[in-house]
Amino acid sequence: MEAMPVDASTGVMNTLLSKLSKLLEEYTNIKGLTRNQITFLRDELSRMKPVLEMLADIDELDPLKKEWRDNVRELAFDIEDYTDSFMVRVNHGSDELPTGFKGFFRKLKKLKACPEISDEIDELIKTCAMESCKRHKRYKSVDVTSNSSTFGVDPRVLMLYDEVDKLVGVDGPKKHIIDWLTKDKDDKNLKVLTFMDLGSLRKKTLAVEVYCQVEDQFQCKSFFPMSRNLSRKKILRSIYTYLGITDNTPDDEGELIDRIRDYLKHKRYFIVIDDVWDEEAWKTIKLVLLNNRRGSRIVTTTRNAAVASCCTRDSDYVYQMKPLSLRDSKLLFFKRAFGSEDLPHPHLEKITDGILEKCDGLPLVIMIMSSLLADQHAEDEWERMLTDIDCALTKDPDIDIVKRVLSLSYYGLPHHLRACLLYLSIFPEGYEIDKQRLINRWIAEGFVHEEQGLSSYEVGEGYFNYLINKSLIQPVGSKHGKAKACQVHGIILDFLACKASEENFNTPSDAAEQQGLVSDNKVRVRRLCINNRNNNEIDTRLKGPNLSHVRSLTVFGDFGKTNLSDFTALHVLDQENKWSFGENWGSEDYHIANIQKLLHLRYLRLSSLSLNFDLTAKIEGLQNLETLDLLGLSIIELPSAITRLRRLARLYIGHLARFPNGTIVKMVNLEELTEFGIMSNDSYQQWKYLQELSQLTKLRTLKVTWDFEWSFVQSEEGLQSHVQSFISSCNVHNLYIRSIRIWPSPYPLSLKSCCPTNTCNLQKLHITYCFICKIPNWMSSLQYLRELKLYIYCIRQEDVEILGAIPRLIFLKLKTFYGTNGRILVPGYKGFRCLKYFGLVIMSCGTTPEFGEGSMPKLEHLKIRFCAHEEECLNGVTDFSFASIQQLSNLNKVEVHIYGCLVSCKDYDPDADMEDSNAKSAACLIKAAVKALPNRVICSFELAKTYGRLGTFHGLIKALNRHTGIPAEKILQEFLKLRVKQMIQNNKALRGLLNR
């Protein structure tokens, strides 16, 4: 039976109906619980479900309907809790049960051991469900006419938010703020600059850019993101932590203030405090940020005018972010909605002006509105949107336009995606939410549909991208349409927090304590989030009968001494402590008790170096576990009991963790493994285990990390044969292989003899920090390969042609030392027909890329890194022929990183550079080529120093010689064996080096 998703409107109604049907099929006449009773319960809930869904589409409900909706939703949760408990206890350990009559009587014994559960279900039927049946007339009395309209849009190509920042312009405000901070260096008084932004996407971006630009001018610097509703002590402890003070954090407020002031007393400091919410928070901050008369500077950001006024004194300054002009508003709106700078549909021009007038120049509102209307061409749809806004403003002139637009966007989502969005309210403001972690949690919570031909993760990734395309979450770490993480804008997070509270969807621990939820027997806490970054005693915050209904427990910080026996319904347990190296690091006082009793647990993530966790003793009872993430723990030996986790699909461990003999082949449901580590001292056994992974038919993603001494690499029986054998037999979709050693081996890895048996399945292939000697011919036959990342010693013309022949390649990143004849030529009108991202790192001097006319026709994002040192080049050409970039007609973004320079600069502008240098010459050539392109291309430059002569080919060989002790001549022979004769003939300096 296809799994149905959990959603915000009906809770677990969909999954519950599925489970009740299964219960009817397998278990009847259990301790007085008859088939008719279960049938009645299922049918009654089925009639409630469509009414709940209709009510969920109504923005405002009268109190009676809201109470009925909430009661039915909570009823469904309770029934599922009991149903799950019954089915888990019956099925617990069933895989090991004997068959035949012995198996029958063993199972019957288990059924008799669960009378209290069947009694509970029976009681729910007799009371809650029967009471709902008596209220059946209410079903008919519900007016299901919704006053919200649903605006469905097709999924769009991801619009990178850094491009949006450029479009709406942060450069002007950034320059203005930096000038004010640095203009009077002789003024030793403390100065505070506050910039206020009511509804922009730019506030944090601007704060970060200002911080990065001026931080080097101060002895002490810190970027402090404020959280809401922090107590005075928590604010002080957070400042203490973010300043990097290593002493034990005192508990007394007065001592905290004294220590922070003493730490800053003799330092010229620069501190950015992002998002100050209220005046009381600022008054607390002022207690410790003293005027030490050393020219210290503070930048605060806020959305509150009263706070901005409170932060400033006579010598301070408030910079208010200006709304976008109509021109910039249109530019952002059209770029987001249609992917162009102009309106492609003239009949929408007048109504566009009306919509943008309502947006008040607020980028966040413009982004959401344009996402709602993306690719909609019908004028009536746009009219309906404008009418909805006008009606809301007429009804309540004081309504916040941001809130109204967010409401329209929220109610335009499918029900199950509303649950996915509300789930983000669990995470603090400004928190970077890892995509993989989020999707795996969605799966464990039951939010994700099952779709034929796709894994649950792939479906969840579609949800993630959909929310990005709707501008409801902001992508982080984007690489051509793929984001590694996301953030939620503070205004959107406020909206979601209110909705989550209304739906009893998520309960922060502070709210639970303030409202008495933990001790109130009538309120069911379904998801609990605890911020324990500065408090080690959380067991007192986890008391009360309601914990038996908690589905999800998220802890930011350490557990302290926590007993989990009360969390009988827990599906998700996620603990993270990025502050493990603080005062209690290494303590054995942190532990979690009775985790093995969490029979419903599907997702477990533990991340704290100070956590004392006996994996062997705890893991065996977690029979429903699907995701196990132990990357944050120092696990050396995995227990053999891990093979009993029959549902385990995703395993995340460090590369030092070892599998006991015979365990891998038994993990038949494993879909993802990160990382499998191989070290020199145990390489033979681990390679043997790695081969066993190829027998797991469901494995789709595998990350392998090795650390070999070069003496092992030289052996013909070593790395070469093992890698070739593994790749030939591997059947995964996503394969990542990397060496843990940064320095490249002088003995290149050969992939020539690999003959993959499942070439049609491979979609992503990364081989990094282990350089290959050439691109093998078989790569051109990888029919479904979309993403490729390789390190290669020398890129030859035939290598480029093989890569260009990969039919569906979208993302390509190459790292090399040089190209033949001083160039890497991409021929025109041949190959790379689907490529959208190309990253090229050239580690040595004297090589430049060249693009033929018509090459890479769909390329949108180019990122190149090369050396432009000022010394004599020993490897080919010395000029920079980058003009051919203008042949890449579809480009919209170019990133250039030039190293080997005399100075470092994160945001380099060659036009403002008054000095002549190779770096400036190269940057000017690239900038001129980009200007010749038809699109509006975002182009950025960064300069980096290179110490010594590492940037030159000669310097590289000498560095390798010092690092390895291998003679330079031998390194060159191995390192350049594909081309050494030609180079000796063409380069006197290199010939002289070899002769020495």
Side-chain angles (χ1 to χ4, degrees), residues 765-791:
L765 176 62
H766 291 195
I767 302 178
T768 55
Y769 294 103
C770 40
F771 284 73
I772 64 174
C773 55
K774 70 180 296 290
I775 306 294
N777 290 326
W778 54 262
M779 276 196 181
S780 62
S781 65
L782 298 176
Q783 295 295 312
Y784 292 97
L785 190 69
R786 297 180 289 110
E787 187 173 309
L788 179 63
K789 189 174 181 180
L790 294 173
Y791 286 31

Side-chain angles (χ1 to χ4, degrees), residues 885-996:
I885 288 177
Q886 63 186 322
Q887 303 296 340
L888 304 174
S889 59
N890 206 45
L891 272 183
N892 56 44
K893 184 174 184 180
V894 176
E895 293 180 85
V896 182
H897 187 150
I898 306 174
Y899 63 104
C901 306
L902 299 177
V903 295
S904 294
C905 181
K906 294 181 180 178
D907 191 8
Y908 174 67
D909 182 2
D911 294 336
D913 189 354
M914 305 305 294
E915 302 292 332
D916 290 329
S917 65
N918 283 338
K920 178 180 178 180
S921 299
C924 287
L925 285 169
I926 294 172
K927 196 168 184 179
V930 167
K931 283 184 177 179
L933 289 166
N935 298 335
R936 177 171 174 166
V937 181
I938 297 170
C939 187
S940 62
F941 297 91
E942 182 175 344
L943 304 185
K945 292 181 180 179
T946 298
Y947 298 96
R949 301 188 68 204
L950 186 59
T952 69
F953 196 78
H954 185 186
L956 174 67
I957 298 302
K958 284 200 169 186
L960 283 171
N961 171 251
R962 288 194 304 270
H963 186 74
T964 65
I966 302 173
E969 294 86 349
K970 180 63 176 176
I971 292 176
L972 281 173
Q973 288 171 5
E974 297 291 340
F975 188 48
L976 308 171
K977 64 181 181 180
L978 299 175
R979 196 182 155 225
V980 66
K981 291 183 180 180
Q982 177 187 357
M983 292 189 63
I984 293 173
Q985 292 171 357
N986 295 342
N987 197 308
K988 292 181 180 180
L990 189 56
R991 185 164 65 246
L993 174 64
L994 283 173
N995 290 337
R996 290 198 298 273

Side-chain angles (χ1 to χ4, degrees), residues 565-580:
S565 59
D566 292 331
F567 290 87
T568 54
L570 204 63
H571 287 57
V572 171
L573 176 57
D574 191 339
Q575 178 267 338
E576 174 188 275
N577 189 6
K578 294 181 178 179
W579 302 268
S580 291

Side-chain angles (χ1 to χ4, degrees), residues 717-730:
E717 299 300 323
L719 184 62
Q720 303 282 1
S721 60
H722 286 302
V723 172
Q724 291 172 9
S725 175
F726 171 68
I727 293 179
S728 297
S729 60
C730 188

Side-chain angles (χ1 to χ4, degrees), residues 531-732:
N531 185 339
N532 193 43
R533 295 173 181 175
N534 299 308
N535 185 356
N536 301 327
E537 300 300 327
I538 68 170
D539 53 319
T540 57
R541 300 156 74 184
L542 299 177
K543 299 292 185 182
N546 283 298
L547 297 182
S548 63
H549 300 281
V550 175
R551 299 296 185 94
S552 168
L553 173 62
T554 306
V555 179
F556 295 99
D558 267 308
F559 271 105
K561 297 178 180 180
T562 304
N563 190 324
L564 297 172
S565 59
D566 292 331
F567 290 87
T568 54
L570 204 63
H571 287 57
V572 171
L573 176 57
D574 191 339
Q575 178 267 338
E576 174 188 275
N577 189 6
K578 294 181 178 179
W579 302 268
S580 291
F581 291 99
E583 56 181 291
N584 295 297
W585 180 78
S587 168
E588 293 187 358
D589 290 335
Y590 292 166
H591 65 275
I592 45 180
N594 294 315
I595 194 172
Q596 70 276 13
K597 294 183 179 180
L598 305 180
L599 302 182
H600 303 285
L601 199 64
R602 299 174 187 172
Y603 177 98
L604 174 61
R605 179 176 181 267
L606 300 173
S607 179
S608 175
L609 294 176
S610 54
L611 183 64
N612 181 19
F613 182 65
D614 184 356
L615 185 65
T616 304
K618 307 293 186 184
I619 203 172
E620 188 170 354
L622 308 180
Q623 294 297 303
N624 285 296
L625 197 64
E626 298 169 350
T627 300
L628 178 60
D629 187 341
L630 302 175
L631 282 172
L633 301 185
S634 299
I635 300 293
I636 302 299
E637 183 76 19
L638 291 169
S640 58
I642 200 170
T643 60
R644 301 191 186 112
L645 306 181
R646 296 304 178 89
R647 295 189 179 184
L648 189 65
R650 293 164 288 276
L651 177 61
Y652 306 108
I653 52 176
H655 69 276
L656 296 176
R658 294 289 170 268
F659 286 86
N661 189 22
T663 58
I664 291 178
V665 292
K666 295 180 180 179
M667 303 175 72
V668 293
N669 285 315
L670 200 63
E671 298 175 8
E672 183 174 355
L673 173 59
T674 303
E675 305 176 45
F676 186 89
I678 305 173
M679 304 294 118
S680 299
N681 56 354
D682 63 355
S683 56
Y684 176 78
Q685 191 69 17
Q686 290 300 106
W687 276 114
K688 177 183 173 183
Y689 294 162
L690 184 60
Q691 296 300 326
E692 292 180 8
L693 287 169
S694 62
Q695 301 176 37
L696 302 181
T697 58
K698 293 185 179 181
L699 191 65
R700 292 295 175 263
T701 299
L702 175 63
K703 294 186 179 181
V704 179
T705 300
W706 63 59
D707 182 11
F708 290 140
E709 298 292 339
W710 286 353
S711 58
F712 177 81
V713 176
Q714 296 177 53
S715 170
E716 289 298 324
E717 299 300 323
L719 184 62
Q720 303 282 1
S721 60
H722 286 302
V723 172
Q724 291 172 9
S725 175
F726 171 68
I727 293 179
S728 297
S729 60
C730 188
N731 60 3
V732 298

